[in-house]
Amino acid sequence: MKLYYSPGACSLADHIALHEAGVPFDLVKVDLKSHKLEDGRDYTEINPKGSVPALQFDDGEVLTENVAVLAYIADHNPAPVPSGPLGRYRLLEMLAFIATELHKAFHPLFAPNSTDAEKKQASATIEKKLKLVANKLRGPYLFGAQPTVADDYLFVMLTWAAKLKVAIPDALEKFAERMRERPAVKLALSHEGLS
Ligand SMILES: N[C@@H](CCC(=O)N[C@@H](CS)C(=O)NCC(=O)O)C(=O)O
């Protein structure tokens, strides 16, 4: 199995999740500006959307979209999904919120042509959404004592917020510190040249 990634991008969540799951995988770096791989191949031949993450299975099939890739990894991790009859759906609920509400809200902060007003508005939106997530924490991790793939995705959003000087609620600052102590996170950050 291969994970197509770009350092510090949202694919870092999948990278961490694969280490947490103990699933063997190879890492393939994508240059998101040129959409080329290090061997010169065109990444859009693998994922026509051009975005990371993408997970390629040994039979050649490719799975894209962070929510789907993280859900796949969660299903192959012996660690528990949230407990209760709605557990799996609570996980999907959180993944969908992070992907569609939080992740997308960062766009004006990364886009080269955004105005200051657009950036200010985006920061305010992210702060509001981070507060909503902070209120959902049910323990040291989002769903209690054990992290899930949603924690991995949230952690990446917090690395972006810190870098872009977006205010992070105290509870999520502490959460990010806890995540940084996890061997899977340390390993992924080091493999991506981020530590
Ligand atoms: N809809 C995709 C979007 C992922 C995404 O935004 N990836 C960014 C990096 S965090 C990317 O690859 N951007 C470059 C591009 O789309 O060409 C998903 O949820 O997986």
Side-chain angles (χ1 to χ4, degrees):
M1 182 154 65
K2 287 180 186 151
L3 174 68
Y4 292 86
Y5 83 104
S6 176
C10 53
S11 48
L12 174 58
D14 311 83
H15 189 176
I16 295 169
L18 284 166
H19 282 307
E20 290 281 8
V23 175
F25 65 100
D26 293 319
L27 272 178
V28 185
K29 193 167 163 179
V30 181
D31 180 333
L32 288 181
K33 288 206 178 91
S34 62
H35 293 110
K36 296 270 186 214
L37 305 181
E38 285 183 304
D39 64 8
R41 274 185 304 150
D42 197 337
Y43 176 55
T44 55
E45 283 169 20
I46 289 144
N47 177 8
K49 292 181 265 192
S51 56
V52 290
L55 202 56
Q56 187 170 37
F57 300 96
D58 293 345
D59 64 1
E61 258 208 79
V62 177
L63 185 64
T64 63
E65 297 301 312
N66 224 342
V67 173
V69 175
L70 288 170
Y72 174 87
I73 299 169
D75 287 344
H76 291 78
N77 185 342
V81 293
S83 57
L86 286 183
R88 195 170 188 292
Y89 307 101
R90 291 290 176 215
L91 182 63
L92 290 174
E93 182 181 43
M94 183 56 76
L95 286 178
F97 183 78
I98 297 173
T100 64
E101 302 284 336
L102 200 47
H103 181 165
K104 286 296 159 199
F106 278 91
H107 190 256
L109 298 182
F110 288 121
N113 299 326
S114 302
T115 62
D116 286 349
E118 285 166 339
K119 288 184 181 169
K120 203 169 157 199
Q121 177 62 49
S123 296
T125 303
I126 296 163
E127 282 171 29
K128 198 167 135 200
K129 291 178 196 282
L130 286 177
K131 278 186 197 149
L132 286 170
V133 175
N135 287 336
K136 286 273 178 192
L137 273 177
R138 281 205 235 136
Y141 300 106
L142 278 169
F143 295 104
Q146 295 294 328
T148 66
V149 293
D151 296 86
D152 302 331
Y153 201 178
L154 175 60
F155 172 72
V156 178
M157 297 300 105
L158 295 174
T159 64
W160 294 358
K163 198 168 159 192
L164 297 162
K165 311 248 179 300
V166 177
I168 298 176
D170 278 356
L172 291 185
E173 288 275 16
K174 292 195 180 82
F175 161 84
E177 281 165 28
R178 267 192 297 278
M179 287 293 286
R180 280 189 184 278
E181 290 308 311
R182 297 190 65 79
V185 175
K186 287 186 178 172
L187 212 52
L189 288 174
S190 139
H191 288 163
E192 296 199 10
L194 302 171
S195 59

